[in-house]
Amino acid sequence: MIGTDPLTVLTLTPLFVGFGLLILPQLLPSKNAKSIQKVSRNISFGVALGLFTFATYLSCKNFSGIDWLDISMGDYILTNEPTTLISSIGVSWIVGADALSLPMIWLTALLIPLSMLVEWDAKKGHLFHPLILIMEGALLGVFVALDLFVFYVFWELTLIPMFFLILVWGGDDRKYASMKFFIYTFTASVVMLIGILVMYFSTDGGASAGSLTGHHFDLIAMAAQDTLIETEGLRHMVWLLLLIGFATKMPSVPVHTWLPDAHVQAPTAGSMLLAGVMLKMGAYGFLRIAVSLFPESTVTFIPLLVVLGMASLVYGAWVCMGQTNLKRMVAYSSVSHMGLIFLGIATMQPLGIAGALFMMFAHGLISPLLFAVAGAFKHHYHTLEIGSMRGIAHHSPYLAAHMMLGWMGSLGLPLLAGFVAEVAILIAFWMTFGWLVVLPALTLIITAMYYLSSMQRTIFESNDRHNGILPESLHGEDPTDVTWHENTGMFILGALAILFGILPFIFFDMMSDWSTKFLETILVAALENQGVNP
Amino acid sequence: MIFLTNEEMQLIIPELIMLVGLLGIILIPNFGDAKIRLPLTKIHLPILIGGKRFKPTSNPKLPNRLTLFTLVVAFFFGFADRVATGDVGNALSVDSFSRVFFLIFTAALILSTISAAHRIPARSNVKPPNESDSESLVSRKIDALIDNRRQVDFHIILLMVGLGMSLMAMANHLFMLFVCIELASLSSYILVAFHKESAAGGEAGMKYFIVGSVASAVGIYGMSLLYLWNGDLSFDGLAASWAAADGIDPLAGIGVGLMLVAFGFKVGAAPFHLAAPDAYSGASSPVAGLLATASKAMGFVAMIRILIGITLPVEGEAFWFVTIALISVITMTWGNLAALTSDNPKRILAYSSVAHAGYMLAGLAAIGSGIASIAATKLILIAIIFHLAVLVLFKFGAFLVLSLLETEGRSHRLEDLYGLGKREPLMAGSMFVFMLSLAGVPPLAGFLSKFLMINGIVNASVASGSAGSVSVIGWMGTVNPVFWLAIAIVFNSALSIFYYLRIGLVMFFEAPETDNPLKSATSLRLAITVCALLTVILGITSLGDSVLDIISNAVETFIGN
């Protein structure tokens, strides 16, 4: 049976509680629907908060004072005793964390209670909050699983709560958006599955007893195998299949179109989790599987990565300038930032990869803040149009403050978390590609342009010094400021964005050490093969 | 007993239980207070049969309960004794291979009985219509009375199907095999046409009967050719002569080929599958589910017996390899393409069952290619049987959901499924699980079986590609064509996702035509939930391993023969 090691507990608790809360009320008489909603919400929130405390405790206890340079690749912390799940095809329950997954685990544990807090009064609360709890289990599962089968199962499992979050609690066009979201990501993960299966068939025998097939899904053992796939062409093909799966999730430019639709229609909590953690699954999986196991293919395809990253970065930012819908603009800015992650990986510099890792984390703090702001804007002003409204600062000072902070963080203001990541990536990019760095650097100016102009039009500018223009959707009512729970959620996110902007080394040192080790152990051989001087 | 020794009786306890249950259903509802007067005296002796029936025996729900009880007891006895081995008479031999199939058949029959209780309901308190009743009330009362009347018929035939199938799995003689298949088939023709008052039911039954009997006739002709060739139809005798023969006697080859037509009809392989969609959509869902699971498994027992047990050469390619490989690819592609264009859930499920037959035939073809090692052969057989076993969970599960829908009306339009997610979240969730499992999405049971199948085919064939070639294209040029069967399965699975998801998504996307919850058929709902849970659990926990252990035991017994 599966043991009681901390990461297993962390992953399975929300799943069990979430499914229990979903199913148990169905069996009760439906008289007390109202009280069930409240009980269900409170239990979910309590569990999420408890898990966050637990995750923080785990991080502080196990990860402080570790010299990451001493830890070789393939060593994980907080691992469990591998237990066999399905011996006939070699599936085991193996979990572990390292500097790549730890910030993501902590981020997930942080964002779940915050997203619940922001949508404290969601309709059908007896379904909403348990679904988010299931989402937490699935997301944590993706980040802790070290068995590809389990990884894939959790990867797919994240789709289901998100699909229902969009479908049931989404905006007017939710059917189209949820369908598109489902089809894009599902198709992409099936493509990825084919890649995983080819890898599976290439693993050495000697798998666990009772295996019928003689292969296994164990990621650590795969990494330890000399050459996982003998044929070079097949290796490249598998790498590309994996890339399709991960790039769609990130999303990178040619396959990004599901993201704006999903974001615009999703409820606030859904958007926060989608932008905050789900997009990072793509980058995480790419580093964990594709880059780690096929470094040579990665080096071969660096130009492709640069093109994809650059296209996402520039195109995302360019399209942002034309958006009038707040959520759509933020969604495209996510595409743009995810492009930076690809560029960071493509540099093949420790600094670049560390920057990409920190970008994953920083974007995971700032974009949920942006979506929480957009959700609050929608909630209190009943519109998402940027131009329809001026002078928020007058009507809703708290909302305006959070909006400012979020946008400043997203455009990379120094002393906010996003800045550290951007600078690290740009420096590494310059070190590898020289003056090509001008293009991403100029894009940052575009980013500043669209954020500043939106800011000008929404928060400040006002024809009438005292009233501003109110959107028609309010029907003449006075807008209200954010509620206490929205305020709390946004405040925590904003504070953390500032904290990690001023003291980035909390995670950044760990990340850069890990990246150094990562490149040393995995890429040196590949680079030598390719004739590049590391 | 005169015919059977005690040991033989012990071996076939489950079948005897079914037989006793069958007699019980014939007799028990007839128990009444009839008396006979001894001649020339005034003594009235109760003879129990006839007269006014007692209260418990006149309950129209009795046949269903008796059948369920019989099947469950038989299932448990079969399960407890699943490793028993021995011969019964000359024509039957019990081993774990036949017992595994017995369990598959019985499980499907149990589900069929549970859903029949709600699909063809018996009502205890129906009064005959009065003159004062309104017209609709009269017709409803008459319907209910008819349903009550035919409870016994339906369940007798259901048990006949079970008896025929389980004996068929034990047959070690071709003639016995055929007689048992016919027992099961003729009974299932009646079941398909059971709702003779509906035009679709009658037409479906007729069509199924005609095509089925032609297929059987062809098969019997093939069998007679084999008899002409060998003079002995026992499997051992046939296998020995086949191995001893120098090359393939045309008589024998044609005989086996003709028999494949009969079995191909049973498993629903193209081009013999054409009656299947009509039969499924015309029959009631409990029966359609039976056809899609138990009947298909029956066809595969026969195929495995003939193709692997008798005609598989020790080394080199079997003579049927190319035929079966082609049929498998055509079957799966045809099934999936036809399902894509269909709007009737039952037809979609029928075509999906055709496609699944194609996947399993691809496995058989890979065994016949002559490049599969013993381990790969074993793996593929395990995968086929495991797939047949888990089909009972998710294919029949889907039909159970449809029969729940049929309790309130119809289930032959996609619109009938609209908005099920709103009306019945748990049922819709289960249906979604069934669809994903049929599509083979991890980590459900359907993935595990399909994955083992692909794994077996790849293990058998991948070594034939030259490892040295750098490009993928070059490698693919060198690999044995069997490898392409695996690719065909993968592509077809990808194709099939579209129509499975279509069923899955209309339940959540479209507005329901009515908001009323469905009938509270507790046992049926419980069965659906259990099927859905098992579909998940078998795919992801070690329970799947335990089932695979039982099956691999059975396969070892069979290959050892």
Side-chain angles (χ1 to χ4, degrees):
Chain A
M1 278 313 289
I2 292 169
T4 51
D5 60 286
L7 287 182
T8 307
V9 173
L10 198 63
T11 310
L12 295 186
T13 315
L15 282 181
F16 280 120
V17 177
F19 276 113
L21 286 177
L22 270 192
I23 292 169
L24 286 182
Q26 305 254 338
L27 308 176
L28 297 173
S30 57
K31 269 186 290 186
N32 316 326
K34 201 81 186 171
S35 62
I36 289 176
Q37 286 203 8
K38 277 199 174 143
V39 170
S40 176
R41 176 186 71 192
N42 293 346
I43 294 179
S44 308
F45 185 68
V47 170
L49 216 53
L51 290 172
F52 170 65
T53 322
F54 187 48
T56 314
Y57 164 76
L58 281 182
S59 327
C60 295
K61 182 170 169 242
N62 293 292
F63 290 84
S64 55
I66 288 181
D67 187 354
W68 288 90
L69 286 172
D70 285 347
I71 293 186
S72 58
M73 286 309 300
D75 274 0
Y76 296 89
I77 298 174
L78 288 174
T79 47
N80 66 337
E81 198 58 39
T83 21
T84 313
L85 274 185
I86 315 172
S87 62
S88 45
I89 57 172
V91 176
S92 328
W93 176 262
I94 314 172
V95 296
D98 60 2
L100 176 58
S101 54
L102 173 78
M104 290 296 111
I105 294 171
W106 189 75
L107 185 66
T108 312
L110 167 74
L111 285 182
I112 296 287
L114 288 185
S115 59
M116 284 181 183
L117 199 60
V118 166
E119 291 227 30
W120 191 242
D121 296 322
K123 286 173 195 157
K124 298 187 190 166
H126 61 299
L127 301 176
F128 187 84
H129 295 95
L131 267 182
I132 293 197
L133 215 50
I134 294 174
M135 186 80 192
E136 171 167 29
L139 289 168
L140 287 174
V142 169
F143 293 127
V144 301
L146 293 176
D147 181 284
L148 280 184
F149 185 86
V150 179
F151 172 84
Y152 185 78
V153 168
F154 279 121
W155 179 277
E156 291 284 13
L157 187 60
T158 57
L159 279 186
I160 292 168
M162 185 51 78
F163 173 74
F164 283 109
L165 281 179
I166 300 177
L167 178 64
V168 181
W169 289 271
D172 297 331
D173 213 5
R174 55 184 184 268
K175 280 183 188 170
Y176 171 75
S178 54
M179 185 74 106
K180 192 169 178 180
F181 164 75
F182 193 83
I183 288 176
Y184 261 78
T185 45
F186 190 78
T187 314
S189 47
V190 169
V191 173
M192 181 179 98
L193 178 65
I194 296 176
I196 290 181
L197 289 188
V198 179
M199 286 159 66
Y200 172 78
F201 286 127
S202 315
T203 52
D204 278 338
S208 61
S211 168
L212 293 172
T213 58
H215 301 296
H216 60 79
F217 281 104
D218 184 346
L219 191 63
I220 303 175
M222 279 187 191
Q225 199 169 325
D226 270 349
T227 38
L228 186 57
I229 296 174
E230 302 261 328
T231 322
E232 194 190 358
L234 196 60
R235 215 157 45 214
H236 288 340
M237 197 181 82
V238 170
W239 190 89
L240 286 174
L241 290 175
L242 293 174
L243 179 73
I244 292 174
F246 295 131
T248 310
K249 201 70 157 195
M250 267 177 77
S252 171
V253 142
V255 281
H256 67 288
T257 55
W258 62 271
L259 184 75
D261 288 313
H263 266 315
V264 171
Q265 301 303 330
T268 310
S271 282
M272 285 170 71
L273 294 177
L274 193 58
V277 199
M278 264 185 100
L279 303 191
K280 313 305 181 303
M281 280 163 52
Y284 168 82
F286 184 64
L287 280 169
R288 172 72 88 216
I289 299 174
V291 180
S292 302
L293 295 183
F294 307 106
E296 290 184 43
S297 304
T298 315
V299 173
T300 314
F301 286 112
I302 278 180
L304 177 67
L305 282 182
V306 173
V307 168
L308 283 181
M310 206 72 102
S312 307
L313 180 65
V314 177
Y315 174 80
W318 190 260
V319 171
C320 268
M321 287 203 297
Q323 298 304 319
T324 55
N325 184 308
L326 188 54
K327 274 189 157 181
R328 197 169 270 274
M329 183 182 86
V330 180
Y332 275 112
S333 90
S334 287
V335 175
S336 172
H337 284 109
M338 292 297 112
L340 271 179
I341 292 184
F342 263 161
L343 292 186
I345 297 172
T347 59
M348 288 295 154
Q349 301 275 355
L351 189 60
I353 292 185
L357 292 189
F358 201 74
M359 178 56 106
M360 284 162 66
F361 180 71
H363 186 259
L365 288 176
I366 293 168
S367 66
L369 175 59
L370 292 171
F371 280 110
V373 165
F377 184 59
K378 167 92 179 162
H379 187 217
H380 295 284
Y381 289 80
H382 307 293
T383 179
L384 281 170
E385 289 300 305
I386 292 173
S388 70
M389 160 77 221
R390 309 206 167 186
I392 292 183
H394 176 78
H395 297 288
S396 318
Y398 278 109
L399 181 59
H402 292 309
M403 201 180 255
M404 281 273 294
L405 182 65
W407 288 358
M408 287 300 163
S410 191
L411 66 80
L413 192 73
L415 291 187
L416 290 177
F419 173 71
V420 182
E422 281 178 14
V423 165
I425 292 174
L426 287 184
I427 294 175
F429 198 78
W430 184 76
M431 282 154 63
T432 309
F433 298 103
W435 287 108
L436 216 54
V437 76
V438 172
L439 202 55
L442 282 179
T443 314
L444 295 184
I445 298 177
I446 304 182
T447 313
M449 267 168 61
Y450 64 76
Y451 272 130
L452 288 176
S453 81
S454 314
M455 197 185 296
Q456 176 69 14
R457 282 191 290 160
T458 317
I459 302 181
F460 300 119
E461 192 175 279
S462 160
N463 296 357
D464 183 324
R465 178 166 282 281
H466 298 290
N467 289 321
I469 297 175
L470 291 177
E472 287 169 10
S473 51
L474 276 178
H475 304 299
E477 294 169 36
D478 277 342
T480 46
D481 205 347
V482 286
T483 55
W484 66 269
H485 42 80
E486 287 168 339
N487 208 355
T488 319
M490 292 186 239
F491 181 78
I492 294 174
L493 283 172
L496 285 172
I498 297 174
L499 175 72
F500 282 96
I502 300 174
L503 307 171
F505 51 80
I506 301 175
F507 277 146
F508 195 75
D509 283 2
M510 175 174 91
M511 288 168 177
S512 65
D513 287 355
W514 183 84
S515 309
T516 314
K517 205 74 196 174
F518 183 72
L519 287 175
E520 255 178 33
T521 47
I522 289 188
L523 294 187
V524 165
L527 288 169
E528 277 170 356
N529 277 354
Q530 300 287 327
V532 180
N533 197 10
Chain B
M1 253 307 188
I2 312 163
F3 308 113
L4 297 173
T5 64
N6 266 348
E7 290 77 40
E8 288 174 339
M9 298 261 284
Q10 287 212 324
L11 284 172
I12 54 166
I13 284 179
E15 282 75 19
L16 291 177
I17 292 173
M18 275 198 194
L19 195 62
V20 171
L22 192 60
L23 294 176
I25 295 176
I26 296 175
L27 283 178
I28 293 175
N30 286 318
F31 285 168
D33 59 0
K35 290 181 179 141
I36 191 167
R37 189 172 63 95
L38 282 182
L40 305 176
T41 64
K42 285 188 174 168
I43 303 168
H44 290 255
L45 285 180
I47 55 161
L48 291 179
I49 303 283
K52 185 172 172 14
R53 293 191 291 167
F54 305 121
K55 192 150 194 201
T57 57
S58 67
N59 186 352
K61 292 184 173 157
L62 185 70
N64 186 274
R65 287 175 189 161
L66 274 177
T67 314
L68 193 58
F69 179 74
T70 309
L71 287 171
V72 169
V73 172
F75 183 86
F76 275 108
F77 270 93
F79 186 75
D81 222 10
R82 61 184 180 277
V83 288
T85 311
D87 285 346
V88 181
N90 293 328
L92 297 177
S93 70
V94 181
D95 53 18
S96 51
F97 183 74
S98 62
R99 275 293 166 244
V100 162
F101 277 99
F102 168 80
L103 294 176
I104 294 175
F105 299 144
T106 323
L109 283 166
I110 289 174
L111 292 180
S112 188
T113 315
I114 291 175
S115 58
H118 302 283
R119 176 64 183 83
I120 308 165
R123 296 182 186 82
S124 317
N125 309 314
V126 194
K127 303 261 183 314
N130 293 326
E131 283 178 15
S132 58
D133 289 342
S134 70
E135 208 164 297
S136 68
L137 188 62
V138 169
S139 85
R140 254 186 300 148
K141 277 185 171 175
I142 289 180
D143 279 352
L145 284 172
I146 291 178
D147 273 345
N148 281 0
R149 282 273 319 230
R150 52 189 181 189
Q151 288 295 314
V152 175
D153 313 1
F154 186 85
H155 292 98
I156 287 177
I157 297 169
L158 211 55
L159 277 183
M160 292 278 235
V161 173
L163 207 53
M165 284 177 173
S166 49
L167 287 177
M168 174 271 169
M170 303 191 314
N172 66 6
H173 192 279
L174 205 49
F175 189 74
M176 185 67 187
L177 184 94
F178 234 97
V179 170
C180 296
I181 286 190
E182 283 311 297
L183 176 60
S185 305
L186 287 172
S187 311
S188 63
Y189 302 146
I190 302 175
L191 287 180
V192 170
F194 200 74
H195 282 272
K196 50 183 181 286
E197 67 272 14
S198 90
E203 186 197 327
M206 202 60 201
K207 206 164 176 176
Y208 198 54
F209 171 65
I210 291 174
V211 180
S213 48
V214 169
S216 293
V218 173
I220 290 178
Y221 181 52
M223 194 173 83
S224 58
L225 290 184
L226 271 185
Y227 186 69
L228 202 60
W229 170 65
N230 194 28
D232 172 18
L233 286 180
S234 75
F235 290 152
D236 292 344
L238 280 171
S241 316
W242 195 278
D246 189 19
I248 292 163
D249 193 310
L251 206 56
I254 294 170
V256 169
L258 290 179
M259 293 191 70
L260 286 184
V261 174
F263 303 142
F265 169 76
K266 277 278 154 255
V267 301
F272 317 115
H273 70 285
L274 292 168
D278 290 322
Y280 286 37
S281 59
S284 61
S285 289
V287 176
L290 204 59
L291 295 184
T293 55
S295 197
K296 186 182 292 291
M298 183 171 78
F300 269 102
V301 178
M303 284 231 174
I304 292 174
R305 291 264 192 219
I306 305 277
L307 296 184
I308 313 295
I310 296 178
T311 63
L312 189 70
V314 178
E315 54 185 30
E317 197 176 293
F319 79 100
W320 41 263
F321 163 60
V322 177
T323 320
I324 296 284
L326 278 181
I327 285 182
S328 80
V329 175
I330 294 171
T331 304
M332 62 177 99
T333 317
W334 191 336
N336 280 326
L337 289 179
L340 274 177
T341 58
S342 181
D343 269 334
N344 175 345
K346 280 167 121 177
R347 288 187 88 89
I348 293 180
L349 284 178
Y351 280 121
S352 111
S353 129
V354 171
H356 279 262
Y359 304 148
M360 289 184 274
L361 284 176
L364 284 184
I367 295 177
S369 65
I371 56 170
S373 60
I374 293 286
T377 305
K378 202 183 131 195
L379 180 56
I380 294 172
L381 277 180
I382 290 175
I384 292 175
I385 300 176
F386 184 68
H387 193 71
L388 288 169
V390 291
L391 266 185
V392 175
L393 293 178
F394 48 79
K395 174 68 67 83
F396 214 127
F399 277 111
L400 288 182
V401 176
L402 291 187
S403 47
L404 185 64
L405 281 172
E406 279 176 7
T407 56
E408 69 159 19
R410 299 174 297 181
S411 71
H412 63 264
R413 299 171 310 147
L414 208 52
E415 286 82 9
D416 296 321
L417 281 167
Y418 279 11
L420 196 63
K422 214 166 248 160
R423 296 165 68 194
E424 297 280 348
L426 198 57
M427 294 300 107
S430 307
M431 187 71 168
F432 199 62
V433 169
F434 298 143
M435 288 301 125
L436 290 183
S437 186
L438 281 170
V441 173
L444 304 170
F447 170 76
L448 189 56
S449 57
K450 206 179 272 184
F451 182 68
L452 287 173
M453 189 102 64
I454 293 175
N455 213 320
I457 298 176
V458 170
N459 278 6
S461 59
V462 80
S464 62
S466 77
S469 49
V470 173
S471 74
V472 183
I473 312 287
W475 181 83
M476 285 186 165
T478 58
V479 76
N480 190 290
V482 171
F483 181 76
W484 292 99
L485 287 174
I487 300 286
I489 294 181
V490 171
F491 273 103
N492 266 290
S493 303
L495 195 63
S496 69
I497 286 177
F498 288 102
Y499 61 86
Y500 290 126
L501 275 187
R502 185 153 155 250
I503 290 190
L505 293 180
V506 295
M507 295 191 301
F508 296 102
F509 276 109
E510 304 294 340
E513 292 180 332
T514 157
D515 273 335
N516 304 333
L518 291 165
K519 207 174 130 189
S520 68
T522 317
S523 56
L524 184 51
R525 277 161 197 265
L526 193 68
I528 293 172
T529 320
V530 168
C531 281
L533 275 181
L534 280 178
T535 306
V536 178
I537 290 174
L538 279 182
I540 201 162
T541 66
S542 46
L543 191 66
D545 280 335
S546 325
V547 175
L548 281 168
D549 271 351
I550 297 176
I551 292 174
S552 87
N553 203 349
V555 168
E556 267 159 22
T557 321
F558 176 71
I559 290 185
N561 281 348

